[in-house]
Amino acid sequence: MVKILIIGGVAGGASAAARARRLSEDAEIIMFERGEFVSFANCGLPYHIGGDIKERSKLLLQTPESFLARFNVDVRVKHEVIAINSAAKTVTVKNLQTGTEYNESYDKLLLSPGASPIVPPIEGIDNPLTHSLRNIPDMDRILNTIKMNKPEHATVVGGGFIGLEMMEAFHQIGIKTTLIEMADQVMTPVDREMVGFAHAEIRQQGIDLKLGVALQAVEFMPTEHVASIESGENEAHQHLQGQLNLTLNNGETLTTDLLIMAIGVRPEITLAKQAGLQIGDLGGIYTQPNMQTSDPDIYAVGDAVEDQDFVTGKQTLVPLAGPANRQGRMAAGNMLGRNETYKGTQGTAICKIFDLAVASTGQNEKQLKRDGVDYQKVYVHAASHASYYPGAEIVSFKMLFCPKTGKIYGAQAVGKDGIDKRIDVMAVAQRAGMTVEQLQDLELTYAPPYGSAKDVINQAAFVANNLIKGDSTAIHFDEIDQLTADQLLLDVRNPGELEAGGSIAGAINIPVDQLRQRMNELPKDKEIIIYCQVGLRGNVAYRQLVNNGFKARNLIGGYRTYKFAKA
């Protein structure tokens, strides 16, 4: 009989416990969780604060009692493993309710401690109105602060998933919100020109978005000592009322009633280091593809471990629930004698930002540049379903690929409808090793309410293959402002579009449908840089010009990409 100890619940640990039991009725399985809750929907926490998920109980997926009844797993909440003795194959456990300690032996040990929020050493950050959000007690503390302090203004520091979701939650319950992000963009897995659409949406919703700004200092100013709203509440609640003065690195100051720190997480590796396990270069627990650590009887999964990047094969840290669940399931099988391997993480992710969805998979352009990878990119802006059927929305889509082999490096999409569908298809195509040439042949569902005869992905593949075959020559939005005297900028949209939506300075305007008759107005000794609204008419104009002996390039993604990249 195998005795398996699991440290940490939630995605990785709970998945491993359930899988281990399904594979073996004989194994003894004990799961330790230092918190009160063993299996909860941590991705749902902001949505309960914002009121989308009404009942708190909906976040509690399993309890110790339900785990015991269904899986015969001994779940010990409020039990913290404080040491691992790998030579003796025991762990030291502290019962946080009684303070007593005891040893528990194991045959196989699984570490699933997750990641902890990064709280920088900012002066005054330790105060009753500043919170991070990782678990149910954190959520309860935020809700209690809202109840006690009745904030009119909240500040969120960090533009990642949790920061964006908390920004929207506060906005939804009527709290004016400032979002502060040190980078020049929110949601860094997506490239900046694609996030431009999100920046516009955030500001349109009335959020005070501050990019390229960092929090420097916090000053807590308590109001007078007030009685608790409800009798019997503890003394700490009486000091929740007050305000915070925030000092920013751009010289601004800001007064706020509630502060959320969401600048990221770091792997929880305290136990692993104490046990002498190998730590990777990025600061996560090193694991082999079978999720074994440097000790063959100890496995590790989830946010605490370094994954292998699916595209590059290099080590990476990707704190997402999907990979943690799959790793937990796999580790359980391997602890019971199987030999399954984890095939790498693509980092496929999506975030709701008000009415927009922003999603990505694989590598982004920043990563490819950093690693010196030769790549090409295309942008397509097309309808989420047949444009003549009501309710169609624009899908803004970016694809990164190898210009020689057509290997897919990554994809990003932004819009109000059909974003998850496109990125999910791209994640599957990338995982299957498809090339951009093969994407042309994808046969995706089509009926006017659901799609188009040529899907966004087919269209992106057509553009990419035109570039690979030399049927089109690209220029990108970031090159437009550096044109020389040997180049001429040609806008092939209709004059009404220029008046309504703006244009690029210095361009001459010849609508594409007049181009054949007016070609003599263009000089043959200059390179013609063509643009339209999204790139489609630009390509038609490009082919007309090069077939008539002109030298030309087409702005991929058109004016729409340029405009939001510059926003």
Side-chain angles (χ1 to χ4, degrees), residues 9-212:
V10 199
S15 297
R19 175 67 170 168
R21 177 57 71 221
R22 290 197 298 272
L23 293 178
S24 168
E25 196 57 37
D26 301 327
E28 183 184 355
I29 306 168
I30 305 172
M31 183 157 54
F32 300 102
E33 171 57 54
R34 66 183 168 199
E36 187 183 342
F37 305 98
V38 65
S39 180
F40 62 91
N42 50 0
C43 297
L45 302 177
Y47 297 105
H48 178 58
I49 292 169
D52 291 310
I53 299 169
K54 302 286 183 213
E55 297 167 43
R56 179 177 177 275
S57 59
K58 289 271 198 291
L59 300 171
L60 305 176
L61 307 178
Q62 292 278 359
T63 63
E65 294 73 26
S66 67
F67 245 113
L68 184 65
R70 181 167 296 180
F71 296 111
N72 191 24
V73 171
D74 178 2
V75 176
R76 302 179 191 175
V77 291
K78 296 186 177 175
H79 279 63
E80 183 175 9
V81 176
I82 55 174
I84 299 169
N85 184 341
S86 53
K89 293 180 77 169
T90 62
V91 300
T92 305
V93 186
K94 183 175 185 177
N95 182 329
L96 298 178
Q97 288 170 298
T98 65
T100 55
E101 295 179 10
Y102 63 94
N103 288 337
E104 193 75 53
S105 65
Y106 66 84
D107 296 312
K108 301 289 179 187
L109 177 65
L110 178 71
L111 298 178
S112 178
S116 51
I118 296 169
V119 181
I122 292 171
E123 182 190 338
I125 199 82
D126 190 10
N127 66 71
L129 301 181
T130 298
H131 301 277
S132 54
L133 181 61
R134 185 194 179 201
N135 52 36
I136 299 266
D138 290 342
M139 179 188 76
D140 291 342
R141 281 189 284 271
I142 293 167
L143 287 169
N144 186 58
T145 300
I146 292 170
K147 178 178 145 190
M148 299 296 296
N149 210 35
K150 295 190 167 44
E152 293 178 7
H153 183 276
T155 301
V156 178
V157 179
F161 294 100
I162 292 174
L164 291 166
E165 288 159 3
M166 286 304 300
M167 167 198 75
E168 187 170 348
F170 289 143
H171 181 270
Q172 200 157 298
I173 57 177
I175 300 173
K176 282 182 77 71
T177 306
T178 295
L179 179 66
I180 297 170
E181 169 55 58
M182 194 160 67
D184 64 352
Q185 65 166 93
V186 300
M187 208 174 167
T188 49
V190 175
D191 289 315
R192 194 185 187 283
E193 73 277 13
M194 296 297 287
V195 178
F197 301 102
H199 292 161
E201 176 75 8
I202 289 166
R203 290 189 165 119
Q204 202 173 331
Q205 294 287 343
I207 301 295
D208 175 24
L209 176 62
K210 295 181 186 294
L211 297 172

Side-chain angles (χ1 to χ4, degrees), residues 261-306:
M261 296 301 296
I263 62 170
V265 295
R266 62 164 59 96
E268 186 61 76
I269 58 170
T270 311
L271 269 177
K273 282 177 81 172
Q274 174 270 323
L277 301 180
Q278 184 180 340
I279 305 299
D281 292 339
L282 301 177
I285 302 170
Y286 165 82
T287 56
Q288 297 180 55
N290 65 356
M291 306 318 298
Q292 238 170 3
T293 67
S294 53
D295 182 317
D297 292 318
I298 302 178
Y299 292 72
V301 300
D303 295 357
V305 308
E306 290 188 8

